[in-house]
Amino acid sequence: MAKDFSLMEDSNRSDNPSIHDVSDPARRRFVQGSLASAAAALFGGGLLAGCATGAGSTKAANLGRDIGFASVPMRAVDDVLVPPGYTARVLNRWGDPVGVAGAMPAFKPDATNTADEQALQAGMHHDSVAYYPIEGSRRGLLAINHEYTDDGLLHPDGMKTWTAEKVRKSQAAHGVSIIEVQADAQGWRQVLPSRYARRITAATPMRISGPAAGHAMMRTAADPSGTRVLGTLNNCAHGETPWGTYLTCEENFIGYFNGPDTPDAHGKRWGLRKGGWGYRWHEFDERFDATRHPNEPNRFGWVVEIDPFDPKAEPIKRTALGRAAHEGATVAQTADGRVVVYMGEDARFEYIYKFVSRDRVKPGGFAANRDLLDHGTLYVAKFNADGTGQWLPLVHGQGPLTAANGFADQGEVLIKARQASDALGATKMDRPEWTAVDPISKEVYCTLTNNSERGRDGRPGVDAANPRANNTMGHIIRWKESGDLDATRFQWTHFVLAGDATLARAEAKGNIRGDAFGSPDGLWVDPRGVLWIQTDVSGSALGKGDYVNLPNNQMLACDPTEGEIRRFLVGPHGCEVTGVTMTPDLRTMFVNIQHPGESPSERSDPDQPMRYSRWPDGARPRSATIVITKNDGGIIGT
């Protein structure tokens, strides 16, 4: 995501209590001195900086969670480093054709591809990635998110001039790519052409479904029904449904909209501002001018469901999952077959959500479960100071969520999910991002990337769940539901406080057992129970201050039975390491490298496009999906 701290959203000025307001001194002493013993009591064992232990399926237990690779040293390099015995290769770059038959324009290194060509090529800033098998672990589809654009790289002269064509090209570089990949004797390659190939962009027609579909706050001049919308954008992390669809999540959507000089209370709560974040789309696409179309922002910030196997299938925005600056949507199932979706909202002092479906998953794929995500209950998390927590339902008519308090119906509750969570007294967190569910222990994890505003004058102070002021390094929180995943109560503790033990500043030291890291973002528990952690330190912070010993971003793995966190990958200069998945046999890993060569300002100088990086081709830097294999053909991580 864009990490310019002058632009980073910080819109929660509600007066609902943070944990700091309700935590007592005994609880704060517990956090400082007795976390390890408390974690053992809560979770039945485990280590302070490690994953929690727990019984799992026979199959997972037989695979084992052991980590066998040598730690990769941290280095300032413009390359991808992996452990000895592993190989990383570039598979799909920004600008590579996705594979639509008869329409496969080549990437032009001088950035002169047109908007129409970009709409047939992989988008910019690869983020999340998912693998969908066609022939097991040898052939399948990759669904890849494209989060945002660096217009200094996207256009030959950057933003020195600004035109409708540049807006169209920027919109075409957002969204999702569906590509086909296959392994042969030479390794993995993209299948070109492919009948599955597809680009979904900020101009793709989509349907709006669920309780907010057709709501008055969703209607515009172009769509008086409130049920149709063009495009998805700022696509960050994802989810995968049991019926084989892909969930892409709209994160920092508000930055694309031009707001009035003084936004109303609703716009202000969502971070609407004059000029937006400098994308300038509104200058040639009026729907991104909220002064002219005030409801258009309400049509973004949703989880979008895509059928990766049908290029003609219309994407669907699922409003029952709530509106937020959605980072991701991790899907799991209860014992009786209902779906549970965990979601973090990546903004300072925002919230963690959970959706529980009303209905059980049916056999028959997407056709049999087409409306399953339209019915269920959305909850927001409240973390109590004693290590317990509650899931508070966002249901119209319950508690303060009434017409008298500005919530006319369930649709309005979901469109105003932030205001509803404020009213319920949910816990303000430090930029909650990716979530992950351990398939063996059923523990749930969430990365809290960082929050330098924690503890500043007029902002929430340190508390039990967020125990560090000026939290530059971030942490990971975990919880165990009190029963099945649909439970309304849970117990929580810290998984790890990120940091560097060699630093002088106490709040930045962390408590890692293993390799130093900060700003945890991407998160995934693989089928054998290994937790993978990816970092997103801003290009303006890498190698400086608290990150003086961390010049590049990285990916690490955790063996939950040992508690050690070990570095598996170092990315090229300025990149974020984000998105990770594997083939079903666990012998191939796909990882995304986002914005290599990111400048401190996050928009490159078009006159010096290669100033900070030339990865991966020795030329204009390009985000890319890489494929990692073990040279002996073994399971990744062993």
Side-chain angles (χ1 to χ4, degrees):
M1 64 160 287
K3 298 171 288 294
D4 181 340
F5 292 119
S6 68
L7 295 177
M8 187 173 290
E9 195 197 337
D10 182 6
S11 306
N12 193 346
R13 295 300 189 272
S14 65
D15 59 3
N16 60 301
S18 70
I19 295 178
H20 175 69
D21 300 315
V22 298
S23 61
D24 57 42
R27 174 61 182 168
R28 290 197 290 273
R29 286 195 299 270
F30 155 76
V31 171
Q32 294 165 2
S34 305
L35 186 55
S37 59
L42 286 174
F43 292 93
L47 299 169
L48 172 60
C51 310
T53 57
S57 68
T58 301
K59 182 177 179 181
N62 288 341
L63 285 173
R65 301 189 192 223
D66 293 344
I67 293 174
F69 60 85
S71 175
V72 177
M74 174 54 67
R75 291 170 53 196
V77 294
D78 196 28
D79 202 356
V80 173
L81 304 181
V82 292
Y86 287 81
T87 298
R89 297 184 178 90
V90 175
L91 181 64
N92 174 268
R93 308 160 181 80
W94 157 49
D96 286 347
V98 293
V100 176
M104 295 189 290
F107 176 74
K108 296 178 181 178
D110 62 359
T112 56
N113 285 107
T114 66
D116 289 341
E117 289 172 334
Q118 176 62 79
L120 296 165
Q121 299 169 323
M124 216 175 198
H125 286 18
H126 295 44
D127 202 305
S128 200
V129 59
Y131 177 83
Y132 291 87
I134 296 174
E135 296 175 6
S137 296
R138 304 299 293 175
R139 176 171 167 250
L141 303 180
L142 290 182
I144 303 167
N145 280 351
H146 304 291
E147 187 179 3
Y148 64 106
T149 53
D150 177 347
D151 290 282
L153 288 177
L154 187 63
H155 316 291
D157 68 344
M159 303 181 82
K160 293 179 181 180
T161 61
W162 199 239
T163 65
E165 171 71 4
K166 285 185 173 182
V167 170
R168 289 181 60 244
K169 186 177 180 182
S170 181
Q171 292 176 345
H174 284 70
V176 178
S177 290
I178 307 295
I179 64 171
E180 183 179 350
V181 294
Q182 183 172 345
D184 55 26
Q186 285 71 48
W188 284 88
R189 62 178 178 84
Q190 187 178 341
V191 177
L192 297 171
S194 169
R195 67 185 181 91
Y196 301 104
R198 184 181 190 186
R199 275 304 319 283
I200 296 162
T201 74
T204 301
M206 302 187 178
R207 180 166 66 88
I208 301 169
S209 73
H215 196 278
M217 294 181 70
M218 300 287 274
R219 299 171 192 161
T220 65
D223 173 33
S225 72
T227 61
R228 311 286 304 173
V229 64
L230 290 178
T232 184
L233 49 82
N234 214 262
N235 303 86
C236 200
H238 79 287
E240 301 166 55
T241 68
W243 50 90
T245 58
Y246 181 72
L247 304 180
T248 186
C249 300
E250 300 176 333
E251 191 190 15
N252 294 303
F253 64 91
I254 203 67
Y256 296 82
F257 289 91
N258 175 54
D261 291 333
T262 305
D264 63 15
H266 177 57
K268 185 176 181 180
R269 182 62 186 86
W270 287 88
L272 185 65
R273 65 175 72 176
K274 186 175 183 178
W277 292 7
Y279 287 100
R280 299 178 62 185
W281 289 5
H282 68 281
E283 294 179 24
F284 291 96
D285 186 345
E286 70 173 60
R287 69 191 176 104
F288 289 96
D289 189 344
T291 67
R292 302 178 68 180
H293 302 283
N295 280 350
E296 191 68 24
N298 296 334
R299 294 145 65 83
F300 291 86
W302 304 102
V303 175
V304 184
E305 186 170 16
I306 298 168
D307 183 351
F309 292 98
D310 184 357
K312 296 181 180 180
E314 189 173 50
I316 305 169
K317 296 199 176 188
R318 299 293 188 184
T319 65
L321 277 65
R323 180 168 171 258
H326 280 292
E327 179 74 20
T330 300
V331 182
Q333 281 186 269
T334 61
D336 67 1
R338 287 173 296 135
V339 159
V340 178
V341 185
Y342 290 99
M343 298 166 284
E345 180 168 23
D346 181 13
R348 292 168 175 157
F349 306 111
E350 295 299 346
Y351 303 118
I352 297 173
Y353 295 93
K354 177 173 81 170
F355 171 82
V356 180
S357 70
R358 181 192 67 188
D359 303 323
R360 300 177 183 180
V361 177
K362 300 174 183 176
F366 188 29
N369 296 280
R370 188 169 298 274
D371 299 323
L372 190 139
L373 294 178
D374 287 339
H375 307 285
T377 303
L378 181 67
Y379 299 88
V380 65
K382 182 176 182 179
F383 291 81
N384 298 319
D386 63 357
T388 65
Q390 302 158 262
W391 290 107
L392 310 174
L394 277 75
V395 176
H396 180 257
Q398 293 190 15
L401 305 184
T402 63
N405 292 315
F407 304 99
D409 49 34
Q410 184 62 18
E412 189 161 359
V413 168
L414 296 169
I415 294 167
K416 295 180 175 178
R418 284 186 177 179
Q419 294 98 314
S421 298
D422 295 343
L424 290 170
T427 301
K428 304 171 184 177
M429 305 298 287
D430 284 354
R431 290 187 57 202
E433 299 219 39
W434 290 54
T435 54
V437 180
D438 187 318
I440 301 170
S441 69
K442 302 301 182 184
E443 290 167 342
V444 188
Y445 300 83
C446 181
T447 48
L448 297 150
T449 292
N450 55 53
N451 187 353
S452 58
E453 290 296 304
R454 176 69 65 177
R456 291 187 185 274
D457 289 346
R459 309 302 290 127
V462 297
D463 57 48
N466 304 279
R468 294 185 289 185
N470 186 20
N471 182 15
T472 60
M473 306 303 280
H475 54 290
I476 302 175
I477 202 164
R478 64 176 177 182
W479 62 89
K480 180 83 170 181
E481 303 284 9
S482 299
D484 207 343
L485 295 178
D486 63 335
T488 57
R489 293 186 177 273
F490 58 90
Q491 295 176 301
W492 69 269
T493 188
H494 292 101
F495 168 61
V496 66
L497 304 181
D500 180 349
T502 69
L503 297 176
R505 192 169 76 91
E507 293 86 354
K509 286 179 175 291
N511 59 14
I512 298 168
R513 180 183 168 191
D515 292 323
F517 69 93
S519 295
D521 189 343
L523 196 67
W524 182 53
V525 185
D526 73 24
R528 70 186 185 99
V530 175
L531 184 70
W532 297 89
I533 304 165
Q534 300 170 314
T535 70
D536 181 18
V537 185
S538 168
S540 62
L542 286 167
K544 304 172 185 176
D546 290 341
Y547 288 92
V548 64
N549 299 317
L550 299 172
N552 288 41
N553 277 301
Q554 57 184 303
M555 182 167 74
L556 310 98
C558 173
D559 178 343
T561 63
E562 297 295 332
E564 177 194 4
I565 297 177
R566 193 180 303 179
R567 188 178 299 115
F568 179 78
L569 180 151
V570 174
H573 287 315
C575 84
E576 171 188 351
V577 181
T578 180
V580 56
T581 192
M582 293 185 194
T583 51
D585 64 5
L586 308 184
R587 298 175 190 274
T588 300
M589 173 182 276
F590 302 97
V591 174
N592 281 335
I593 302 297
Q594 186 184 106
H595 59 64
E598 178 187 64
S599 72
S601 70
E602 297 185 19
R603 281 198 174 95
S604 296
D605 180 351
D607 295 328
Q608 302 180 77
M610 295 169 278
R611 179 179 178 183
Y612 296 101
S613 177
R614 294 173 178 264
W615 190 88
D617 303 317
R620 184 177 296 263
R622 300 163 70 184
S623 297
T625 299
I626 61 173
V627 57
I628 301 172
T629 53
K630 199 172 182 186
N631 297 346
D632 64 5
I635 292 174
I636 301 294
T638 60

